[in-house]
Each structure stands twice: as structure tokens, then as C-alpha cells.
């Protein structure tokens, strides 16, 4: 088995950032994450085999270290699994991209095939693919492949082959043992791991969805209202997003939201729309606890898009950071939802065209 270890000198997020973004920043317990990625000869757990595992971990004063284990022959798969299983015991969680659906189940299946114990039992998993899925519409990403996430960040461009070509080159290496082929295979895995560190930093955008931010000032010129919010993390790349009602931009740890009040009033959206009725005549939503006393012809069940009330853009609001924050929390919930809705509408539109 071929084993390689090397330090990661730049590009990977610092340890405290990883700890904070993973939700462990306030905990005093030990936090030891392991980023990992596997290479296999196919997708089928019973018709292919594992030939390589790459991992990145933090080792105190030595910083982030990259490990790679490669089996030059399928007969060494069991040894590869045994070595990685022992290595895994030092960590408190794993970090992967789509690992809950592929990497971990694949490893567990191969472990079972070789009658080896499961080292993942009770070990928490951070699957970035699942966690970052809400960002697709919000950041207007073309897709959720890891390479597409990396392209949005603009961190680095890949120079090695893709996963499919990697299998072919590995099989060629098995028969010829040429160093060039080995370098390509290990280089591809290394790029996946470095990209995993880049993509991890995108968890900072989720602060907008969770409401983990502070209001940072407001400016109103009678036509445009601009609210600024401050995030606890620095965003890895600038972004912008526009809807009919809002324009949002963000860079580093500051985000600005622009909207145009109507007659000096702005909409406050609410996410719990099932508890509201919409009053078309009043152009506003009211709680069902109130609307139940109204005639049926005056109301209709509120939707996510009609569940709002109006309030004046008053001096009291402009000077009250807590009221601004509450407004922004609801607005962000709405913006994440409306991008999800847009995706559904576009999908239906394209399906109708095909029919």
C-alpha cells in the first residue's frame, strides 16, 4: 500500500473557522474533524472496489495535514480499510461532500464484505452537499456538484482528470506501475480534498438563513430603504441576488438589502403562513385566530407569498436595530423560499415546453 502525507500550507480554512461554522465554537469539548474523500472503481458497492482514501486533519502546531492511502492492487483493499478504520478513531466527526449518500455507505459495505467492524457507528457526519443545498437558488448556482461550488468561489482551477478518467488511469497504473499515472490519480484526490476545504467555507452564507447576524444600520431616502447586516463570519466570495422586491449584495462580513417602500410602507413576511389568512381587500394577512370571526368571502388561506403585513418605515424603525434585525430575519427566510419557488416554477415551465 502506498502512503503519503504532506502539510497544507494555504487555502484551507483555519481551524477556528471550521469549529465555528460546524456549530462547535461555543463548546468546550474536544473537536477533531476529519475531511475525507474516497476513490473507487465504480459506483456499485458489490461490483467495484475501493482503491484510495484521502483525508485532511488538523494536527496542532503542524496545522492541516493531508493523508493519502492507495492500494495498487485490489487485493490490498482490506488492508486499506483496516488502516483507515484505525486512523478514524482519533476524530469526533467526519466532513465530506455527498458522503452520507455515497462515501460512507460504500465504505461500510466494503467493510462488511471483508467482515470488518464499522468505525462510523456513533460518529457524526457533516455532509456539505446536504447542508449547502439551500444555497443553490439563493446564490444562483448552476448546480450542486462540488466543482460547481468551487467555480462560484473562484478559489482554484483543477488541473488533474475528473473522477471517471481517474478510474481508467488507475487501472492503467495497476498494469504498468508508471509514476505519471500515480501522480495523476493522487493529484485528483488531493484537488477534491482541497476543494472540500474551500466549499466548507460556504457554510457562512447559511447565517443569513438561520438569522445569525446583527443589524448594522439603515438608510432611507424616501424612495429606497437600505438595511445593512453584519455576519459573524467572512463570506468566501461576494454575491448578489435580485427579486422584484429586493436586491441583496454581500461581501466579506457585510450584507446590504435594498427594497423600495410603497407609500412609505414595507412588507413584513411571515414563514408560518398556515396560521394566517390573507385579506385581498386589505392586501395583508391576519392570524386565523382573528380571521375566524370574519366572513368567508373576505378572506382566503394565506400562502408563503401572501403572508405579510405592512408597517411604516418610520423614524422609530430606522433607529431601532432590534426591530431591523427581526425584519431582516423574516425577509431572509422569504428570500430563501422565493428562490426555491422560482426553481420549481422554471422546472414546470420547461416540462410544459417539452410536452
Amino acid at each position: 500500500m502506498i502512503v503519503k502525507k504532506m502539510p497544507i500550507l494555504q487555502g484551507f480554512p483555519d481551524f477556528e473557522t471550521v469549529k465555528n461554522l460546524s456549530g462547535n465554537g461555543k463548546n468546550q469539548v474536544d473537536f477533531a474533524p476529519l475531511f475525507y474523500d474516497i476513490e473507487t472503481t465504480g459506483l456499485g458497492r458489490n461490483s467495484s472496489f475501493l482503491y484510495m482514501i484521502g483525508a485532511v486533519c488538523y494536527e496542532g502546531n503542524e496545522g492541516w495535514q493531508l493523508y493519502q492511502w492507495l492500494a495498487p492492487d485490489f487485493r490490498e483493499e482490506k488492508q486499506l480499510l483496516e488502516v483507515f478504520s484505525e486512523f478514524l478513531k482519533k476524530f469526533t466527526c467526519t466532513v465530506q461532500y455527498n458522503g452520507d449518500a455515497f462515501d460512507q455507505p460504500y465504505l461500510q459495505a466494503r467493510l462488511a464484505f471483508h467482515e470488518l467492524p464499522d468505525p462510523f457507528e456513533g460518529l457524526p457526519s457533516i455532509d456539505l452537499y446536504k447542508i449547502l443545498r439551500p444555497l443553490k437558488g439563493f446564490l444562483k448556482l448552476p448546480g450542486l456538484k462540488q466543482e460547481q461550488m468551487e467555480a462560484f468561489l473562484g478559489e482554484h482551477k483543477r488541473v488533474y482528470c475528473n473522477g471517471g478518467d481517474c478510474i481508467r488511469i488507475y487501472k492503467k497504473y495497476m498494469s504498468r506501475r508508471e509514476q505519471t499515472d500515480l501522480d495523476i490519480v493522487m493529484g485528483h484526490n488531493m484537488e477534491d480534498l482541497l476543494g472540500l476545504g474551500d466549499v466548507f467555507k460556504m457554510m457562512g452564507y447559511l447565517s443569513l438563513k438561520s438569522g445569525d447576524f446583527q443589524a448594522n444600520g439603515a438608510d432611507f431616502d424616501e424612495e429606497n430603504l437600505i438595511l445593512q447586516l453584519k455576519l459573524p463570519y467572512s463570506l468566501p466570495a461576494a454575491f448578489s441576488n435580485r427579486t422584484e422586491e429586493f436586491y441583496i449584495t454581500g461581501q466579506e462580513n457585510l450584507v446590504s438589502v435594498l427594497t423600495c417602500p410603497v407609500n412609505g410602507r414595507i412588507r413584513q413576511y411571515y414563514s408560518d403562513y398556515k396560521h394566517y389568512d390573507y385579506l385581498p381587500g386589505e392586501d395583508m394577512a391576519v392570524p386565523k385566530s382573528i380571521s375566524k370571526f370574519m366572513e368567508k368571502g373576505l378572506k382566503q388561506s394565506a400562502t408563503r407569498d401572501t403572508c405579510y403585513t405592512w408597517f411604516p418605515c418610520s423614524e422609530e424603525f430606522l433607529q431601532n436595530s432590534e426591530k431591523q434585525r427581526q425584519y431582516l430575519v423574516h425577509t431572509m427566510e422569504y428570500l430563501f423560499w422565493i428562490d426555491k419557488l422560482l426553481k420549481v416554477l422554471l422546472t414546470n415551465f420547461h416540462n410544459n415546453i417539452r410536452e
Side-chain angles (χ1 to χ4, degrees), residues 101-113:
F102 180 71
D103 298 62
Q104 183 170 319
Y106 188 99
L107 290 172
Q108 289 171 318
R110 300 312 296 166
L111 286 159
F113 175 81

Side-chain angles (χ1 to χ4, degrees), residues 22 31 93-97 100 124-128 131 200 203:
S22 65
F31 174 65
C93 68
T94 63
V95 184
Q96 351 74 27
Y97 200 83
D100 287 354
S125 164
I126 299 175
D127 186 340
L128 295 180
I131 293 173
F200 187 91
M203 289 179 69

Side-chain angles (χ1 to χ4, degrees), residues 269-277 286-288 302-304 307 330 333:
Y269 288 92
Y270 303 100
S271 59
D272 55 340
Y273 63 93
K274 294 182 179 179
H275 296 102
Y276 285 79
D277 278 327
V286 296
K288 288 188 174 182
T303 66
R304 192 68 179 267
C307 190
H330 291 299
E333 289 178 349

Side-chain angles (χ1 to χ4, degrees), residues 193-246:
L193 290 166
L194 294 178
L196 196 58
D198 289 333
V199 173
F200 187 91
K201 292 181 283 189
M202 295 182 71
M203 289 179 69
Y205 294 105
L206 295 175
S207 298
L208 294 168
K209 188 174 186 295
S210 66
D212 185 16
F213 53 75
Q214 296 178 342
N216 199 49
D219 185 28
F220 181 44
D221 63 2
E222 303 301 327
E223 291 187 6
N224 299 306
L225 171 65
I226 300 176
L227 293 164
Q228 190 176 76
L229 56 92
K230 188 174 183 179
L231 302 175
Y233 318 107
S234 184
L235 300 175
F239 79 97
S240 64
N241 191 347
R242 182 186 293 276
T243 69
E244 291 185 5
E245 190 172 355
F246 300 99

Side-chain angles (χ1 to χ4, degrees), residues 17-244:
T17 296
V18 172
K19 186 175 182 181
N20 290 330
L21 287 177
S22 65
N24 291 277
K26 297 179 181 179
N27 298 335
Q28 299 300 317
V29 298
D30 291 336
F31 174 65
L34 181 72
F35 293 74
Y36 80 91
D37 181 66
I38 67 174
E39 307 295 341
T40 70
T41 59
L43 300 178
R45 303 168 195 171
N46 299 314
S47 58
S48 62
F49 70 90
L50 172 77
Y51 68 87
M52 186 176 182
I53 302 177
V56 172
C57 61
Y58 189 76
E59 297 185 347
N61 294 333
E62 294 184 10
W64 293 106
Q65 301 291 316
L66 184 147
Y67 287 83
Q68 291 176 303
W69 302 270
L70 184 140
D73 189 291
F74 70 89
R75 286 169 293 191
E76 295 187 41
E77 182 187 48
K78 182 177 181 180
Q79 182 187 2
L80 175 58
L81 289 164
E82 289 174 330
V83 170
F84 185 67
S85 294
E86 185 63 28
F87 187 77
L88 202 56
K89 292 179 180 179
K90 300 185 294 184
F91 302 98
T92 60
C93 68
T94 63
V95 184
Q96 351 74 27
Y97 200 83
N98 201 31
D100 287 354
F102 180 71
D103 298 62
Q104 183 170 319
Y106 188 99
L107 290 172
Q108 289 171 318
R110 300 312 296 166
L111 286 159
F113 175 81
H114 292 287
E115 299 181 342
L116 295 172
D118 183 359
F120 293 99
E121 187 174 353
L123 187 64
S125 164
I126 299 175
D127 186 340
L128 295 180
Y129 175 79
K130 292 197 304 187
I131 293 173
L132 298 178
R133 192 179 298 166
L135 297 179
K136 184 178 185 296
F138 187 76
L139 296 178
K140 302 189 183 302
L141 301 170
L144 287 172
K145 292 182 179 179
Q146 182 175 325
E147 292 87 345
Q148 292 171 313
M149 309 291 262
E150 294 172 26
F152 169 80
L153 297 172
E155 291 286 353
H156 64 271
K157 297 200 182 334
R158 293 179 175 240
V159 297
Y160 292 100
C161 62
N162 59 38
D165 289 338
C166 200
I167 297 172
R168 176 182 57 81
I169 295 171
Y170 169 72
K171 290 180 177 179
K172 186 159 70 107
Y173 170 75
M174 285 178 62
S175 61
R176 299 183 182 180
R177 292 293 196 271
E178 292 182 359
Q179 185 64 38
T180 301
D181 293 332
L182 179 62
D183 292 341
I184 292 174
V185 170
M186 300 189 85
H188 164 77
N189 180 257
M190 179 184 68
E191 286 185 333
D192 276 348
L193 290 166
L194 294 178
L196 196 58
D198 289 333
V199 173
F200 187 91
K201 292 181 283 189
M202 295 182 71
M203 289 179 69
Y205 294 105
L206 295 175
S207 298
L208 294 168
K209 188 174 186 295
S210 66
D212 185 16
F213 53 75
Q214 296 178 342
N216 199 49
D219 185 28
F220 181 44
D221 63 2
E222 303 301 327
E223 291 187 6
N224 299 306
L225 171 65
I226 300 176
L227 293 164
Q228 190 176 76
L229 56 92
K230 188 174 183 179
L231 302 175
Y233 318 107
S234 184
L235 300 175
F239 79 97
S240 64
N241 191 347
R242 182 186 293 276
T243 69
E244 291 185 5

